[in-house]
Amino acid sequence: MNILEELKWRGAINQETDHDGLNDLVNKKPVGIYVGIDPTGDSMHIGHLIPFMILKRFQLAGHHPVIVIGGGTGSIGDPSGKKSERVLQTMDQVRHNQDALTAQMEKLFGQDGKFEIVNNYDWLSKLSLLDFLRDYGKLFNVNTMLNKEIVASRLEVGISFTEFTYQILQSIDFLHLYRHNDVQVQLGGADQWGNITSGTDLIHRIEGQDAQVFGLTIPLLLKSDGTKFGKSEGGNVWLDPEKTSPYEFYQFWINQDDNDVIKYLKYFTFLSQNEIADLEKKVETQPEKREAQRKLAEEVTEFVHGKDAVKQAEHITAALFSGNVADLTTAEIEQGFKNMPSVEVSSEPLNIVQWLVDATKIEKSRRQAREDITNGAIRINGEKIQDVDYEINPANKFDGKFVIVRRGKKKYFLARIK
């Protein structure tokens, strides 16, 4: 099975400019293939990750990935998928984002063979306005550009000339990479089809119709309920561990629906057909065990954050499920309790009843607090406390930074020490 056959099995091919030609090419030799990303933010989220997962598959199949960080195109804005004009960023912000995205790419692609990261600012910034108009603008028909979906979808609300020219700049990228980096394929999301075909057309006009260049897009990934994949209740799921902790990242994947998990295993893991087929049977016969979800969470978290992050996420998950939070480290508490109810309290020791009612307001009244304590419904840092005279000393655990309260079987509260 070659790379295109594998992608077809995984449901990861949407459109191709020339399937037979591309199929012949990947069977003959290692091929240069690129994906671009504009530095509109300082981290990718998992929606951005999709085309780079496909690019990674090409790398593992022996092909040569080229990643284009759009320092040039990112300074003007891609109209694709946007209903209104982008707000231009400062060049300092663009450069900061470039550095952050480059570091993420090096982590994802740096372990499995040769790859390149280039910045289109390096060549686009050298173009004069007259060169742009004479050498490239003359080759683009406005009527054709207007019919591209990325432009046509914006005509009612309006599109600036700046964003209108984006497809020309992206086409120049493909031409530059074809000439200087031996790139013959551009890969992107379904919304990039118009930009990609503009690039192949430009190369054929300049280099001749015999130039072997191809475009390939990935389908828009939807959940089984028809909504767009990629967000949790808290918003985007980021690759930056400061924005989305590895534990939160792991939890996002492990909580996927049975109806979606096999699709995501095909897209986001490098498991074989047989391994995924085996997990599919377990979803059908033993869905309560959630083995497919657990494997999905392990694989994607390891790919993005590494093996240690998986172990840590599993440790936090097990501790919260069992209630054995005493073994958690301070760093693990930061991750595991990030979105749980929390309150700031003093570092001074205090009687448990007063602490639960006055300091934290976890309990509504002293009577209720005493009742819950004597009934064994209160755990402090994992320990069941049934003595109403017990004194809580925040300095005793978790480097004096936290006190963890569990009321009943599932309700957790985090007290952060001032």
Side-chain angles (χ1 to χ4, degrees):
M1 180 187 304
N2 71 14
I3 181 66
L4 294 183
E5 290 168 340
E6 182 187 351
L7 293 181
K8 185 178 179 181
W9 172 76
R10 291 181 183 272
I13 294 179
N14 184 47
Q15 291 169 292
E16 301 167 86
T17 53
D18 175 4
H19 172 78
D20 292 338
L22 180 56
N23 194 56
D24 289 343
L25 186 67
V26 298
N27 284 331
K28 284 178 185 174
K29 65 166 191 171
V31 175
I33 177 169
Y34 96 91
V35 176
I37 183 169
D38 283 343
T40 52
D42 59 5
S43 174
M44 290 196 294
H45 56 66
I46 56 174
H48 295 134
L49 185 61
I50 297 170
F52 291 99
M53 293 295 299
I54 306 304
L55 189 64
K56 183 73 177 182
R57 296 187 197 285
F58 274 92
Q59 183 186 39
L60 295 174
H63 300 284
H64 181 56
V66 177
I67 298 145
V68 176
I69 305 291
T73 46
S75 68
I76 69 163
D78 182 358
S80 302
K82 294 293 176 183
K83 294 180 180 179
S84 60
E85 199 82 7
R86 288 180 185 269
V87 176
L88 295 180
Q89 299 184 105
T90 66
M91 288 308 296
D92 284 343
Q93 186 63 50
V94 170
R95 282 188 284 270
H96 166 76
N97 295 345
Q98 284 172 193
D99 293 342
L101 293 178
T102 297
Q104 288 185 342
M105 295 301 176
E106 288 173 342
K107 187 174 181 182
L108 296 179
F109 287 87
Q111 309 137 13
D112 299 294
K114 190 179 176 185
F115 72 105
E116 290 179 78
I117 300 177
V118 295
N119 188 333
N120 64 15
Y121 184 86
D122 294 343
W123 56 86
L124 293 178
S125 62
K126 294 181 174 65
L127 272 177
S128 72
L129 176 60
L130 290 178
D131 288 339
F132 174 76
L133 294 174
R134 287 178 60 85
D135 297 344
Y136 302 108
K138 196 73 174 172
L139 300 176
F140 285 80
N141 183 291
V142 169
N143 290 339
T144 302
M145 294 174 71
L146 288 171
N147 286 325
K148 299 281 186 180
E149 185 183 352
I150 53 175
V151 174
S153 63
R154 286 277 298 279
L155 290 179
E156 283 191 22
V157 296
I159 183 170
S160 69
F161 179 74
T162 298
E163 289 197 0
F164 180 66
T165 61
Y166 186 94
Q167 60 183 284
I168 300 179
L169 296 183
Q170 188 166 320
S171 301
I172 295 170
D173 288 348
F174 200 171
L175 175 64
H176 178 91
L177 296 170
Y178 174 77
R179 286 174 167 174
H180 300 283
N181 300 78
D182 196 25
V183 168
Q184 292 177 269
V185 184
Q186 183 181 357
L187 170 68
D191 63 342
Q192 291 296 312
W193 180 249
N195 290 334
I196 291 172
T197 53
S198 291
T200 57
D201 290 345
L202 177 65
I203 294 170
H204 286 142
R205 288 192 188 103
I206 293 178
E207 302 292 329
Q209 289 298 321
D210 292 336
Q212 284 196 299
V213 287
F214 305 91
L216 176 66
T217 64
I218 305 158
L220 177 66
L221 189 57
L222 298 174
K223 296 191 285 187
S224 56
D225 62 7
T227 59
K228 192 174 178 181
F229 163 83
K231 293 189 177 182
S232 68
E233 290 181 6
N236 285 323
V237 180
W238 300 97
L239 272 60
D240 183 343
E242 296 300 317
K243 295 177 182 289
T244 300
S245 72
Y247 168 74
E248 292 174 290
F249 190 83
Y250 179 92
Q251 287 297 313
F252 171 81
W253 296 103
I254 206 168
N255 287 321
Q256 292 305 316
D257 192 274
D258 288 345
N259 294 320
D260 293 318
V261 66
I262 300 304
K263 182 198 304 182
Y264 297 162
L265 283 165
K266 289 179 178 180
Y267 258 83
F268 291 100
T269 77
F270 302 100
L271 299 176
S272 68
Q273 283 196 35
N274 288 339
E275 289 172 308
I276 292 176
D278 182 54
L279 289 166
E280 189 169 14
K281 287 179 183 175
K282 290 177 179 176
V283 171
E284 294 170 359
T285 59
Q286 299 173 309
E288 71 283 355
K289 292 188 175 181
R290 299 185 68 77
E291 288 189 40
Q293 283 88 345
R294 200 156 49 244
K295 189 64 175 174
L296 175 67
E298 289 171 8
E299 292 289 317
V300 190
T301 305
E302 181 176 338
F303 176 61
V304 173
H305 294 296
K307 289 183 178 179
D308 288 344
V310 176
K311 290 178 183 176
Q312 189 177 58
E314 290 174 340
H315 185 218
I316 297 170
T317 301
L320 292 178
F321 181 77
S322 66
N324 297 326
V325 297
D327 294 334
L328 293 176
T329 65
T330 304
E332 287 172 337
I333 290 167
E334 284 279 14
Q335 288 194 52
F337 286 81
K338 183 178 177 182
N339 295 316
M340 290 187 185
S342 66
V343 63
E344 281 196 351
V345 297
S346 165
S347 60
E348 295 299 317
L350 193 65
N351 169 265
I352 186 172
V353 176
Q354 291 177 278
W355 192 85
L356 289 171
V357 178
D358 301 331
T360 65
K361 295 182 171 50
I362 290 171
E363 294 282 13
K364 293 181 179 179
S365 68
R366 283 176 166 74
R367 182 191 62 78
Q368 186 64 56
R370 292 190 188 94
E371 185 177 316
D372 284 347
I373 293 165
T374 55
N375 289 339
I378 299 294
R379 289 179 180 267
I380 303 296
N381 295 332
E383 180 185 356
K384 184 188 290 187
I385 305 297
Q386 292 182 279
D387 179 3
V388 295
D389 294 323
Y390 179 84
E391 184 178 77
I392 291 181
N393 184 353
N396 286 345
K397 193 72 178 171
F398 305 129
D399 302 319
K401 293 183 176 181
F402 305 112
V403 175
I404 297 175
V405 182
R406 179 175 154 199
R407 188 177 70 194
K409 291 185 177 181
K410 294 182 178 179
K411 285 192 175 181
Y412 281 98
F413 302 87
L414 180 67
R416 296 179 180 271
I417 311 306
K418 295 177 185 177

